[in-house]
Amino acid sequence: MDNTDDDCPLLLQDNDSNHDGEVVSLLSEADERGMKRSSSSSGSLHHVVRTYESRELSVDVQSADEQKLDVENRISNIRYKKSADYEALDYDTIENELHGEEERKMSSSDWKWIQFQRWIICMLIGIMTGIVAVIINICILELTAVKMHVVEQAIIHCVKNRCLFVPLVLWIAINVVLVTVASLLTVFLAPVAAGSGIPQIKCFLNGVKVPNVVRFKTLVTKVIGVIASVSGGLAVGKEGPMIHSGSVLAAGISQGRSISFNLNTRFFKHFRNDREKRDFVCAGAAAGVSAAFGAPVGGVLFSLEEAASFWNQALTWRIFLCSILSSYTLNFFMSIYHHHPGDLAYPGLINFGKFSGSYEGFELPIFLLMAVFGGLSGAAFNAINHKITVFRLKYLKAKYFKVLEVVFVSAVSATIAFVLIYWNSECKPLGQDPYVRLQFFCNDGEYNTMAVLFFTPPEESVKSLFHDPLGALQPLTIVIFVLPYFFLACWTYGLQVPSGLFIPSLLIGAAWGRLVGNCVNFIWPDDIWAQDLSKYALIGAAAQLGGTVRMTISLTVILIEATGNITYSLPLMAVLLLAKWVGDYFNHGIYDMHIHLNKVPILPWEPPALSTNIQAREVMGTPVVTLRTVPLVSDICSVLSDPRNCHSGYPISDSEGKFRGVILRTQLLILLKHKEFVERGGSSERIKLSVFRDSYPRYFPLSVINVSEGEQQCHVDLRPFLNPSPYTIQENASLPRIFRLFRALGLRHLVVLNDEHKVVGMISRKDIWKWEHKEKQHDE
Amino acid sequence: MDNTDDDCPLLLQDNDSNHDGEVVSLLSEADERGMKRSSSSSGSLHHVVRTYESRELSVDVQSADEQKLDVENRISNIRYKKSADYEALDYDTIENELHGEEERKMSSSDWKWIQFQRWIICMLIGIMTGIVAVIINICILELTAVKMHVVEQAIIHCVKNRCLFVPLVLWIAINVVLVTVASLLTVFLAPVAAGSGIPQIKCFLNGVKVPNVVRFKTLVTKVIGVIASVSGGLAVGKEGPMIHSGSVLAAGISQGRSISFNLNTRFFKHFRNDREKRDFVCAGAAAGVSAAFGAPVGGVLFSLEEAASFWNQALTWRIFLCSILSSYTLNFFMSIYHHHPGDLAYPGLINFGKFSGSYEGFELPIFLLMAVFGGLSGAAFNAINHKITVFRLKYLKAKYFKVLEVVFVSAVSATIAFVLIYWNSECKPLGQDPYVRLQFFCNDGEYNTMAVLFFTPPEESVKSLFHDPLGALQPLTIVIFVLPYFFLACWTYGLQVPSGLFIPSLLIGAAWGRLVGNCVNFIWPDDIWAQDLSKYALIGAAAQLGGTVRMTISLTVILIEATGNITYSLPLMAVLLLAKWVGDYFNHGIYDMHIHLNKVPILPWEPPALSTNIQAREVMGTPVVTLRTVPLVSDICSVLSDPRNCHSGYPISDSEGKFRGVILRTQLLILLKHKEFVERGGSSERIKLSVFRDSYPRYFPLSVINVSEGEQQCHVDLRPFLNPSPYTIQENASLPRIFRLFRALGLRHLVVLNDEHKVVGMISRKDIWKWEHKEKQHDE
């Protein structure tokens, strides 16, 4: 599996440093020392380009003025501190001479072989994701069964012997132990594995390099963590984490090596770059959705919706195949586990059960009212979770605090559940609920309805709420269940454990949906259509989910596929749409909310409204550090070691100042490491493209490169390595135009040229993000 | 509704002229007269830019050399003659000063009002599309019922009186009359309404202006034509035409006016440009799919798949709502028509009936074998249709020939059906088939099985094949039906009538699928799973459809939604994928085949393989006609009237030759018409953006503009109107990079600049298309 560690040596110590073309907002006189100022008078603003030409500028020559400038930068950037943790991914191909040469040597059959490998990789991803889903599923089932057995025995024992604190303590103890395992792993091994992983995957597919998001240790944490936290009785689901797991698997398999295990195969070398990796991560995310919900089409849509860029037909087919295989694999193994080999009833981790009913046209208004309530309820959920998350970010910074919070929540959850089960011990004769038999505090031959809701795995509780016959659950039981569960779920999401949000939302929604069904049944007690509570539970679940996550068309398809009944597609769509509208009136969807709180520079779907009059020159970062086509090694070292130049790429100018291309920081590092100097006869035995690919994605910091005093005077011929014709834009280009380029082509940076073909600025994703951010703050 | 007539005055007489930046491949000495040659030496090739500066160049100054050049151009372009019929659509916003001013004046609530209008329009499109679907559906049902009744009575009468030629003649007469109506309308009113319309909508969404494709007369022809041709017993369906109808409705409604009816409302003025219109046409196409198949999700996917560009979330939601409303509207009215108001069982024109069964895991290999056969059969269908189409294009050019062919096919279809019904008169007692009761040549209380297949509307035949119980249809009946029907369908597609291909393909596939089911039942007669033929019919239908049209993920979803049973999603996906692979080995999908035959310059999904070493300078059109920022009126007239300059846009250079922006041909025409001359104090009462919007899309030719001798000496200040920062590219940019720009952003033309910021060439969609085309010919 691979790495997205930061390659910028100074970044790790200093988060305030600029990278990726960030704006140095003030210019001091000191800038002139060691740089040439070439200002263009064509625009209304003066742009300054710093060109490194000699060794004069070195880090020690820093005047008081420059230090002042640094401090100012630090202050002005402090609000974007968090965003500096995130680099962008490189989705643009570097079409340099090496690339051209490689392609010239490639025959048509080589090309086809590469295409074929893509299909193979996608098939592997699908199968592996299915297997991981099987492992998670079986472990949770087994662990829960053991836990349930132990506690039930203790209760039976203690009801007779009046020692009810024993099962409570036992229950809390088991839960706390399980959850602590999940929490320790998450906090100390891979913090990025916390939560559902959907926001992280959203960011990755959007083009932001979230550190460690697709590493092997993240996968391990995610899998073990989700098993422990679901079995540990937290109000979490295992579906979101499944999507993250699929993505990590995809990133790992597609690279044909594991750096964690120091394993490097000959396979799939061609795919070692951001662009290819993203395509496979799309497939992995789709396979994850497919396995989680048994929804292959929903999986494909999820990937396309989040990865945006443009819809590539061949890629879509591969994602589709990957999704199908994932669902098939899960089904195959689960049917064996359930002793019905060949039965195709287990396409996903969650199964909504069979919806056989239908609905009447006049029920639609009821559904739409439910959608409004779902939107309100979801917005309330998000608002409360926002407060909690802000509190956490502010006060719960120490690692042991984080673990303690998880333990505390786990204990509270168990206690509340236990108390409610005891207090509300509504008992029903066995057989009325087809799914579970939990005696608890009831007499023999009876089961406790509250225990069904609290004590079984959440997927089973959802099923009970969906399908239990009319009288099986008292409305009061549901009310007593749903209120505390709502707050528990709200508190739980954002804890340092892997935790899905789908199931808690479905559970809350199904619960109040069932209550609505009870009301309808109360008003029209004699009508047959009002006897079927399952449709109300389903619509409630959809409304709650739509109000919380606000995902769009893919969510609709996922729900339709999980329901397995196309009849409900129309009301489901209408309800999801309305719930989203209502929710959007109040706040963002929960994933977007967490992305915003983490200040990830994610690009939205559309350019900011009414921004045509904003021009490139107002958004771009300037001054820009440019390099010559054949610079001195010492110049390169100065540029790379200067904390202010910690960009991802540098424009190259020729002696007349004309723009000649772009070179990436990582390429420069590799050229220095391999001592590709003109004086050493570099071009005769020029380094190959494979060297660049092999270094991906774990580039080294500048500090590991030893350049002797003599070598500082050598030159590096950058021409074969630079990208000679990247996308550029004129300085009067409008913001929507720039935005569309970034969004549609997945760019990392864009060079701004004046009408003399000289570099006047660079625009990075972050520049656009910051601009929007400032505007919003200004508006507020 | 609106118009896509060509605005290039000379094009209509001379198809060989260049437009849209086409290459003038040879340069003669005469070029220097009246133009300045400014050649750049930066590249390896010399590029020549012709700049109109004075009135010296007028059309009459054409030397012998120039005439020779013209002839050469004519020859070199003759192979692309057809492609010259198609212009590109403008999806790039013209961000000129007028646009900026308008936006500056716009308040946030204006902006929201525009957004709100988009929703309103999409809702209207959905409802209107549903209503049109209802009209088509009811008309066909009523006409078919009348026809069936008349012919059946005649047969009953003639079986007794031995006058069998009477019902045959009667049948043929009714069919021929109906089909002739369809054909006459198509041939003489709107030839673009022929066929399913899916290839045309594909092209439109891809960015090609297919003349008349979204005009009102096309809608009328389509609706009446499809009613007549389906009722007329041709082997056609009504689903494809529904998609086209939805698109025309969308284009019409979104513009808030109908030029055909000389109606111009105050509404929706903001949306009068190609970019906005395309978005609404997407919604219309989705609504069409939704109404045709009761598949709202499939509709959304169809639009996204064909319109590509990038996935815009707000747009997707609007398309979704439009799809839902379309399906709801159809359902609502059809339930009233069928006397079950409020029943939700009629979501689409075709209804596959209820699939209640399931399948076993071990049946999968059988399904996959069927997929292979479907791929082969589909490829054969396409190959035969290709031959027929080529023959038609070559020999059946006269209009009356086209009508005659339709009449002939109709007569042959009726005769074959009649003969087969008579010959194979397999009779079954009534009640065995739940759908129809066609006595024909059978005794009282019996019905004719072949008549079920041939005589009922094709949707009913598909249903019969899907759901008839095991013994209802003899295998021999099916064999005798499917073989001639295959060839009839093959012959019919491409006739000058509106004709869908989905239903014939489904029918053929369901027929042979049922035969496979019979074989399976013969081999394992005692197994319960082998008793259910419906799954084999369904898989066969999917395989045949996949093998013929090769549509991808949207087709899968459409079939799943139409089946109404999620259980079959996995085998359906696998079968469609495999059938596509097998078919692709032999030829293109039928829609793509027809697009290629019509030489429409459609851009594929991906850049040509191994083309990184192809640079912009090898693809671009040169010389390029440029204008000055403030040219003379006479210069503009010369440029516009020169047949070689019939481009869609012209780059603007300042006095130093620096690139300053792009202006469209249509903008120049409007400026001339409104006499926006500097000498008349133009800028004080400058024409507004609304004038440009109002002229859309029916621009006038140059000939209607009267410019007096004196006005020829005036100047036009183009600066407020030109697009100052369009997307540009450097001359060494690679073909994949250019391709991605075109594909992802929906560009029409791209200006190529050298490193002095001067124009060296223009690349249009056609240039890329031609390059690919040449390469393919070269390969072959």
Side-chain angles (χ1 to χ4, degrees), chain B residues 488-551:
Chain B
L488 276 180
C490 210
W491 191 7
T492 308
Y493 190 75
L495 283 184
Q496 287 290 307
V497 286
S499 59
L501 192 69
F502 275 85
I503 295 298
S505 298
L506 287 175
L507 200 49
I508 295 167
W512 65 253
R514 212 179 151 88
L515 286 176
V516 174
N518 279 317
C519 293
V520 169
N521 182 252
F522 183 77
I523 301 171
W524 294 279
D526 300 326
D527 290 309
I528 297 166
W529 57 267
Q531 309 279 326
D532 175 20
L533 298 190
S534 66
K535 56 191 164 191
Y536 292 101
L538 177 66
I539 294 293
Q544 179 71 33
L545 195 55
T548 310
V549 307
R550 321 270 166 84
M551 266 161 55

Side-chain angles (χ1 to χ4, degrees), chain A residues 103 313 317 552 577 605 612, chain B residues 103 313 317 552 577 605 612:
Chain A
E103 216 182 89
Q313 211 176 22
W317 269 113
T552 57
L577 189 62
W605 293 101
T612 313
Chain B
E103 216 182 88
Q313 211 176 24
W317 269 113
T552 58
L577 189 61
W605 293 100
T612 312

